[in-house]
Amino acid sequence: MPLSLARSRQLQQRAESLLPGGVDSPVRAFRSVGGDPPFIARAEGAYLYDEDGNRYLDMFGSWGPMILGHAFPPVVEAIREAAGHSSSFGASTAAEADLAALVQQCFPSLEKLRFVNSGTEACMTAIRLARGFTGRSFVVKFEGCYHGHSDAMLVKAGSGVATLGIPGSAGVPAETAMHTIALPFNNLEAVRAAFDARPKEIACIIVEPVVGNAGTIAPLPGYLKGLRDIAHRHGALLILDEVMTGFRLSLGGAQQRYEITPDLTTLGKIIGGGLPCAAFGGRHDIMNFLAPLGPVYQAGTLSGNPLAMAAGIATLEHLIANEQTIYPQLEKTTAQIASGVAAIAREAGVTLTTNQVGSMFTWFFTGSEVTDFASAATSDTQAFGRFHRAMLEAGVWLPPSQYEAAFVSTKHGPEEVALILEAASAAFRRNISQRP
Ligand SMILES: *Cc1c(COP(=O)(O)O)cnc(C)c1O
């Protein structure tokens, strides 16, 4: 049944007259899946409610942060209480070290850390720090990995730009991007060759340990340790970008799951419980290179914001206290959804490749195994678009791009699994295999 989106459509038109594309982040505009994006009025638990009164099962969780579901009462209460004491001071608070201690409890490799406001800032600064610490200029990244929208990282940057079908971004001078080396993911030989070609010139490797921004792609066995070994052999640093995977794939992120200790880590999304907050951290000798102790500069008017700290503390305290139940349950629910829909697709004769790691997953509309960006890009994005629309009309909101991971929260239970399986059956019966 077509959705009634009259009010959302009006709001979109008004937004388009004021905001480019009507949005503050490009993929929200639904350009690649077509149709009108519903405008959200509120959300609770696993469900979003739009301005027309439609309800959707939320499968993108604000792009990762909402692991405990929407309006989780302890988080709401913590924000309320902090707001009553003023929303910003620009001076130190106890809450910053409180959250830092919780982060460190989950991520022991973060001997020291600094809070910033977005994953973009965290990655940009971690790279600056790696360059300052090593005195080198080149950075190795991987095709399809997204590390925020800083100039040097907008090279083969995954989801957002891949969805728009553009290689990078206008406005980035070649001189700025010339020190960024983009290599295929899951290919250690390419990394060895890059280091051999530029001995003592590469400052760091930055990687999404499980790629989420080309859709979900797991590292092959030994890949992450291989990256660390190559980096260290050449005097370079390994940065794990755990903005998406941190506190999601396990309490200690991908580094706990795959037992790998990086030199630096970037965190975001879940760390702020849905408020703008991110962090980077790692070895104390590297972190002490940051101002005010060292020569690498970084600053932020709203960094360590008290509302963000409060929401982060409430979120991490809940995850830490319930680690043993939350993570196995998330993984089980995600498997029921990911494999359940895959089975329904198989019956309906629709070709899908399903990738799942923990509570992240992607259905790629391709018959190829997906292990890197090139194989992800074999997906039929038109078919994905039709599937997305059919699911939305059945009340399930998937991430609006083939190249984005879907997320499961602790509020997704048997009822939600049943809803999504039913929606997928209807979608596959309807319009996925043929064009509308
Ligand atoms: C989301 C994301 C970023 C950027 O974070 P923002 O808060 O959107 O700036 C960086 N790296 C990864 C892996 C991400 O998923």
Side-chain angles (χ1 to χ4, degrees):
M1 188 157 11
L3 286 166
S4 109
L5 288 170
R7 183 159 165 73
S8 283
R9 211 164 289 139
Q10 266 175 12
L11 291 168
Q12 175 69 11
Q13 274 163 13
R14 181 181 66 148
E16 281 175 9
S17 72
L18 294 163
L19 310 165
V23 293
D24 286 312
S25 197
V27 188
R28 293 181 199 169
F30 273 41
R31 296 284 284 255
S32 71
V33 292
D36 298 297
F39 271 57
I40 301 304
R42 66 187 182 87
E44 195 182 338
Y47 294 94
L48 301 164
Y49 298 85
D50 74 11
E51 292 276 358
D52 290 278
N54 301 301
R55 185 187 85 156
Y56 309 92
L57 175 61
D58 181 1
M59 296 306 298
F60 67 108
S62 185
W63 305 84
M66 310 313 288
I67 194 168
L68 300 177
H70 292 278
F72 184 63
V75 173
V76 173
E77 199 36 55
I79 295 171
R80 227 174 237 144
E81 190 181 332
H85 300 149
S86 179
S87 48
S88 186
F89 313 111
S92 294
T93 63
E96 292 161 68
D98 289 343
L99 182 55
L102 292 173
V103 172
Q104 190 180 63
Q105 191 182 332
C106 305
F107 285 80
S109 77
L110 272 67
E111 295 169 0
K112 280 194 172 176
L113 61 144
R114 176 162 290 176
F115 291 110
V116 291
N117 304 297
S118 69
T120 294
E121 267 185 89
C123 295
M124 177 181 78
T125 316
I127 288 166
R128 183 182 304 145
L129 185 55
R131 284 170 159 165
F133 184 78
T134 59
R136 301 173 177 188
S137 297
F138 282 86
V139 173
V140 168
K141 78 176 286 289
F142 300 96
E143 293 164 5
C145 286
Y146 181 63
H147 305 293
H149 60 88
S150 72
D151 284 355
M153 286 295 103
L154 281 180
V155 178
K156 309 222 168 140
S159 56
V161 286
T163 302
L164 295 173
I166 54 179
S169 171
V172 177
E175 294 81 358
T176 309
M178 69 179 251
H179 291 114
T180 306
I181 302 170
L183 302 175
F185 185 72
N186 266 334
N187 179 340
L188 285 176
E189 206 38 62
V191 180
R192 273 186 215 106
F195 274 89
D196 287 343
R198 300 193 175 278
K200 300 192 167 48
E201 288 186 275
I202 299 174
C204 62
I205 299 175
I206 184 165
V207 64
E208 287 184 68
V210 170
V211 183
N213 287 287
T216 306
I217 304 176
L220 293 173
Y223 178 66
L224 297 172
K225 285 188 173 124
L227 290 181
R228 188 190 52 199
D229 292 346
I230 296 169
H232 286 182
R233 202 173 317 126
H234 289 86
L237 305 180
L238 176 65
I239 304 175
L240 290 187
D241 179 354
E242 297 230 45
V243 170
M244 188 182 285
T245 55
F247 312 106
R248 176 161 289 281
L249 295 186
S250 72
L251 191 57
Q255 52 196 270
Q256 177 185 331
R257 195 177 173 104
Y258 296 101
E259 298 179 324
I260 169 151
T261 306
D263 301 297
L264 292 172
T265 298
T266 57
L267 296 168
K269 300 194 167 119
I270 292 172
I271 200 175
L275 269 75
C277 179
F280 62 97
R283 273 167 45 191
H284 66 85
D285 58 329
I286 304 174
M287 290 303 289
N288 287 346
F289 237 67
L290 266 186
L293 298 182
V296 174
Y297 194 71
Q298 184 277 336
T301 301
L302 294 174
S303 291
N305 176 267
L307 303 195
M309 296 297 106
I313 289 167
T315 300
L316 295 200
E317 279 180 343
H318 187 80
L319 290 173
I320 291 168
N322 299 283
E323 179 188 9
Q324 300 306 329
T325 49
I326 282 180
Y327 289 95
Q329 186 59 46
L330 278 174
E331 190 146 349
K332 200 171 123 203
T333 307
T334 308
Q336 287 168 348
I337 294 171
S339 316
V341 170
I344 292 167
R346 218 174 299 122
E347 266 172 49
V350 176
T351 306
L352 287 187
T353 291
T354 305
N355 281 6
Q356 181 203 343
V357 182
S359 57
M360 289 166 60
F361 73 92
T362 303
W363 296 301
F364 293 98
F365 281 73
T366 177
S368 313
E369 202 184 338
V370 175
T371 56
D372 58 11
F373 184 68
S375 43
T378 64
S379 299
D380 180 350
T381 54
Q382 301 283 320
F384 174 82
R386 292 191 293 277
F387 180 60
H388 184 275
R389 174 59 35 184
M391 292 296 276
L392 195 71
E393 287 176 0
V396 177
W397 190 324
L398 298 173
S401 163
Q402 174 70 91
Y403 302 113
E404 299 285 358
F407 301 105
V408 170
S409 82
T410 54
K411 297 295 181 194
H412 289 68
E415 219 172 288
E416 286 69 33
V417 174
L419 172 62
I420 196 166
L421 296 188
E422 201 174 305
S425 303
F428 288 134
R429 271 201 306 274
R430 244 179 76 193
N431 69 348
I432 300 315
S433 38
Q434 81 273 358
R435 281 162 203 283

